[in-house]
Amino acid sequence: MSDPSRPSSHPEFWNVRYERDEPLFGAEPSAFVEGQAHRLPPQSEIVELGAGEGRTPAWLAREHGHHATAVDFSEAALATAREWATAEGLALDAVQADVRTWQPDRRWDAAIVTFLQLRPKERARLYRLLKAIVRPGGWIFAEWFRPAHLSGDYDRMGPSRMDRMVPADEVRRAFADERHSCVEAVDVDLHEGPHLRGAAAVVRATVRTAAS
C-alpha cells in the first residue's frame, strides 16, 4: 500500500518530522472542524483519521467534553497526543494504525479527516471507511487541498503532486447518497501551525450519514 517513491507514505518520514518540529501543525484545532462542532450532540464519540498529534480531537475533548479517538500511523505524533491527554485529563484515545488498511470493529458518532494526503484509489477506500465507521445519522467533517491549489496563486504548502489533490466533484459523488451532504470548494487563509499557513484552495465536506 505504501508508495516506495514517496517517503511521505511511510510512518518513518512523519516520525522524524514530528520529533523535530513539535507541534508540527500547531496546537489549535482545525478551523473548519471548530466551525462545525456545534452540530455534535453532547458527549459524542468522535474519531479523526490521520490525526497527527491529535490537536483537533484534544480540543473537542477539552472544550466540548466529547470522547475522542486519534488515529495515525506515526507513533511520534501519537506520543504527543497521549501526553496532552495525560497532562490535561482528556477523554482521548490514541490508536496507531494506517487508515489505508485499518478495519475497526466499532462505530463513532462523528468522523473527521483534514488534509490527509492519499492517492485516488486510497481515497476511494477512505470514503467507504468514513461512511462505515459513523453511526446512522452521525457526521463526517472533511477538508483537503483541491487541484486549484497547485495551479493558482496560493501559498506553497501541502502536497506537491496533483494526484494528492482532491477534486470537489469526487467528494460530492462519494457522499451523494447520504442524508445531508454539503461539499464546497473554497479559498481560505490557513493559520494551523508553521506548515499550514497562508492562502489555500480547499474542498470542505459536511456530511450527515443516512439513518438506518
Side-chain angles (χ1 to χ4, degrees):
M1 182 66 71
S2 296
D3 182 353
S5 68
R6 295 288 292 177
S8 61
S9 71
H10 299 270
E12 294 79 9
F13 172 88
W14 291 102
N15 284 336
V16 171
R17 294 197 68 189
Y18 281 116
E19 289 171 351
R20 183 183 61 203
D21 303 320
E22 295 185 15
L24 189 60
F25 297 104
E28 298 302 314
S30 155
F32 171 58
V33 175
E34 186 176 6
Q36 299 297 320
H38 68 278
R39 301 181 186 274
L40 301 174
Q43 297 183 325
S44 290
E45 295 181 324
I46 300 159
V47 62
E48 181 173 11
L49 309 185
E53 292 161 304
R55 61 192 176 99
T56 299
W59 179 82
L60 288 166
R62 181 190 308 115
E63 300 298 327
H64 293 274
H66 299 311
H67 192 117
T69 300
V71 180
D72 203 277
F73 67 0
S74 169
E75 178 56 34
L78 295 177
T80 299
R82 294 187 184 102
E83 289 173 5
W84 286 346
T86 299
E88 301 183 46
L90 302 177
L92 174 64
D93 297 325
V95 176
Q96 185 177 14
D98 189 330
V99 301
R100 295 169 296 185
T101 56
W102 188 47
Q103 295 181 328
D105 58 1
R106 57 157 299 184
R107 286 182 168 185
W108 287 262
D109 299 311
I112 298 165
V113 58
T114 61
F115 301 115
L116 182 61
Q117 301 180 25
L118 298 178
R119 294 173 295 180
K121 289 184 178 179
E122 295 168 344
R123 294 199 300 269
R125 183 189 185 278
L126 175 69
Y127 301 142
R128 295 192 296 270
L129 177 63
L130 287 168
K131 291 185 282 188
I133 64 176
V134 174
R135 297 182 178 112
W139 291 94
I140 298 168
F141 306 134
E143 182 175 26
W144 297 273
F145 290 102
R146 69 181 199 273
H149 186 78
L150 282 183
S151 58
D153 186 19
Y154 301 98
D155 289 306
R156 181 63 258 141
M157 70 185 92
S160 59
R161 286 175 51 167
M162 189 61 74
D163 66 352
R164 266 64 171 184
M165 298 291 174
V166 182
D169 285 346
E170 174 184 297
V171 182
R172 292 189 182 103
R173 289 193 299 270
F175 297 109
D177 295 334
E178 298 308 314
R179 178 175 170 184
H180 164 86
S181 179
C182 177
V183 178
E184 297 180 303
V186 296
D187 291 352
V188 297
D189 191 16
L190 296 175
H191 296 277
E192 302 185 20
H195 300 286
L196 288 176
R197 183 172 296 274
V202 304
V203 55
R204 290 174 165 177
T206 303
V207 177
R208 192 167 194 186
T209 58
S212 58

